[in-house]
Amino acid sequence: MEFPQPLQAPGPIRPITCVEMHTAGEPTRIVWNGIPPLTGTLLEQRAQAKSQFDEFRRVLMLEPRGHYDMYGAILRPETELVSSGKAHIGVLFMHNEGFSTMCGHATIALGRFLVDVDEKVFPRRKELKHDSASQTTTLNLHVPCGVVEITVPTLACGKSDASRPVSFVSVPSFATAISLQVPVPEKYRWAELRGKTAVTADFAYGGAYYCMIGAEELGFPGGLGEAKLQDMDRATKLLKDAVVTNPDLQYLTQDIRTAEEGFLYGIMITDTRLGHVSASEGTAASRAQLDVSSEETGLCFFANQQIDRSPTGSCVAARVALAHAKGSLPGGEKRIYNSLVTRAYRGLSGFVGSVFDDAGTGGGDQRSVRVCVEGYAYYTGYHSFVVEKEDGLGVDGFSVRDIAL
């Protein structure tokens, strides 16, 4: 793949070169040149990016170069797991609030991108394994929560095949609570609760921690088919606050294997009543997915109330682990997970999730599994961004939503 030359600018301006992609409508801005100096383990690099170079994230994610719901990935060719041979390359994920532990939609996009580039961008590109029988290439990506294995359909020329889905195998995923009564103190209640003092929700991990709650349970009897985004935005924000401020609920974001503490990343509103995609709808790729067991549509608010256009890959891993723990998704069966965007546009396909294998930690409803997530990603363009030191507005990025009027 040929890339445009970075903008040759005089003086202190250093170009930041990015490739733009989307996965089921959700953007991924892949940063491969002009990255600040980050050293140490991947988690140390993440901490360094947060503490010393957060303006780099803001410049690329927020306006005037991005927008409130932009998402990004910073390539990290050197990490401790790359050095040990467990991974081929590392990555840091970023969004409107900070840096994620995992991102499934970006992982799918990165799979195609890393197969398509050369050693100048991806030093260990020649180490990737190609299977001639399945016409796929596999690579191990070091993400902040561990290593995920990506399988990329590949053409005879060695480039990625956009007509077939990319898949990845998640880190061990698990449920932390099923049908939990979550108390909602008065100061966190939203109008649609109509007097309720608690809601029933599920919690699970798929590289990040999520709360899954039905639209009707959240107070919206019309479901996602009659979604009012502003009202759902407020309801999910208050629900998230009710969970994270309750010390009795800290276990919901605790690793069942290691007891390591995490944080609640997103709220997924689910709706199983929107029905299946008919055989006459969608692309050939989406019709090929119709042999799955069932379908579920969701709307995810993550980070600082950012809306995911895709079905949310890491949350698909969490939802598959949750469904498996409930006994509603046996091993070997697949399920389609849609977002409002993938249901609305015929040219987009939802993500397909299935149990890949038992992660070997046992334990009934909290059994840990690795999940296979499949989806399609596409290129949308290239950018070479610059920042002029005299630009008081563009040097740090801004968000209209955060301006106090």
Side-chain angles (χ1 to χ4, degrees):
M1 172 168 290
E2 297 294 329
F3 292 104
Q5 292 298 311
L7 178 65
Q8 299 299 315
I13 304 173
R14 183 176 66 173
I16 303 169
T17 312
C18 310
V19 172
E20 310 288 324
M21 300 185 72
H22 84 87
T23 310
E26 178 72 2
T28 302
R29 175 163 287 168
I30 302 172
V31 190
W32 65 278
N33 192 30
I35 301 168
L38 302 173
T39 58
T41 66
L42 186 63
L43 291 183
E44 288 171 347
Q45 292 180 45
R46 180 171 176 262
Q48 190 178 8
K50 291 170 66 175
S51 64
Q52 299 179 32
F53 301 107
D54 195 53
E55 74 279 0
F56 182 82
R57 174 192 64 83
R58 293 176 56 84
V59 159
L60 292 175
M61 295 296 97
L62 303 181
E63 299 177 56
R65 298 168 190 84
H67 55 81
Y68 198 78
D69 297 307
M70 178 55 73
Y71 201 92
I74 305 173
L75 296 183
R76 305 308 306 138
E78 297 299 332
T79 75
E80 73 278 19
L81 296 186
V82 173
S83 298
S84 69
K86 294 180 180 179
H88 296 103
I89 193 169
V91 66
L92 294 177
F93 300 120
M94 56 185 178
H95 46 67
N96 69 5
E97 186 180 45
F99 294 84
S100 311
T101 55
M102 174 57 190
C103 180
H105 91 269
T107 294
I108 290 170
L110 284 162
R112 283 199 64 198
F113 173 78
L114 292 169
V115 165
D116 289 340
V117 296
D118 59 23
E119 290 77 16
K120 292 180 181 178
V121 177
F122 181 11
R124 290 171 174 78
R125 170 64 181 85
K126 289 185 177 180
E127 298 176 13
L128 303 187
K129 294 181 180 179
H130 176 73
D131 181 75
S132 57
S134 62
Q135 287 296 295
T136 59
T137 300
T138 57
L139 65 101
N140 291 335
L141 181 68
H142 185 188
V143 299
C145 65
V147 175
V148 294
E149 181 180 303
I150 312 174
T151 300
V152 183
T154 313
L155 299 167
C157 65
K159 301 298 184 182
S160 65
D161 181 357
S163 69
R164 293 185 286 155
V166 175
S167 65
F168 70 88
V169 178
S170 74
V171 296
S173 303
F174 46 84
T176 58
I178 295 175
S179 299
L180 178 70
Q181 283 283 303
V182 179
V184 183
E186 185 174 359
K187 66 177 179 179
Y188 296 124
R189 292 173 195 161
W190 52 97
E192 291 79 9
L193 277 181
R194 298 176 180 87
K196 289 172 59 178
T197 60
V199 293
T200 302
D202 300 317
F203 293 82
Y205 174 82
Y209 289 93
Y210 293 91
C211 166
M212 274 67 69
I213 184 168
E216 189 169 359
E217 180 66 19
L218 193 65
F220 300 91
L224 293 177
E226 301 176 5
K228 296 180 180 178
L229 294 182
Q230 202 167 27
D231 295 339
M232 291 184 173
D233 183 349
R234 175 172 171 77
T236 54
K237 185 179 188 305
L238 288 168
L239 174 58
K240 189 175 184 180
D241 289 344
V243 173
V244 300
T245 57
N246 188 336
D248 293 334
L249 300 181
Q250 289 183 353
Y251 73 95
L252 297 173
T253 53
Q254 190 173 66
D255 195 312
I256 64 169
R257 306 160 303 152
T258 65
E260 181 180 357
E261 293 185 1
F263 59 93
L264 184 59
Y265 183 51
I267 306 288
M268 173 65 77
I269 308 173
T270 61
D271 193 337
T272 59
R273 301 173 300 172
L274 293 184
H276 293 264
V277 178
S278 71
S280 62
E281 291 182 318
T283 62
S286 65
R287 291 195 298 273
Q289 296 174 346
L290 294 176
D291 60 348
V292 298
S293 63
S294 60
E295 180 183 356
E296 184 178 283
T297 299
L299 171 62
C300 186
F301 291 86
F302 70 95
N304 189 13
Q305 293 304 104
Q306 191 164 332
I307 295 177
D308 199 332
R309 276 69 172 158
S310 82
T312 312
S314 54
C315 193
V316 167
R319 290 155 82 184
V320 168
L322 176 66
H324 188 66
K326 289 182 174 182
S328 62
L329 187 64
E333 289 193 15
K334 295 183 176 183
R335 179 170 294 175
I336 290 181
Y337 294 88
N338 273 307
S339 65
L340 293 182
V341 173
T342 62
R343 285 207 58 84
Y345 292 94
R346 292 186 176 186
L348 294 176
S349 298
F351 291 170
V352 176
S354 59
V355 174
F356 181 77
D357 64 16
D358 184 343
T361 57
D365 287 346
Q366 292 187 333
R367 188 177 182 183
S368 179
V369 295
R370 293 196 302 162
V371 176
C372 179
V373 180
E374 305 171 39
Y376 294 82
Y378 305 98
Y379 291 96
T380 58
Y382 310 92
H383 269 118
S384 189
F385 293 108
V386 296
V387 179
E388 294 185 285
K389 66 178 182 179
E390 295 86 0
D391 182 3
L393 183 66
V395 73
D396 189 41
F398 69 93
S399 168
V400 170
R401 283 183 53 161
D402 292 337
I403 295 175
L405 299 177

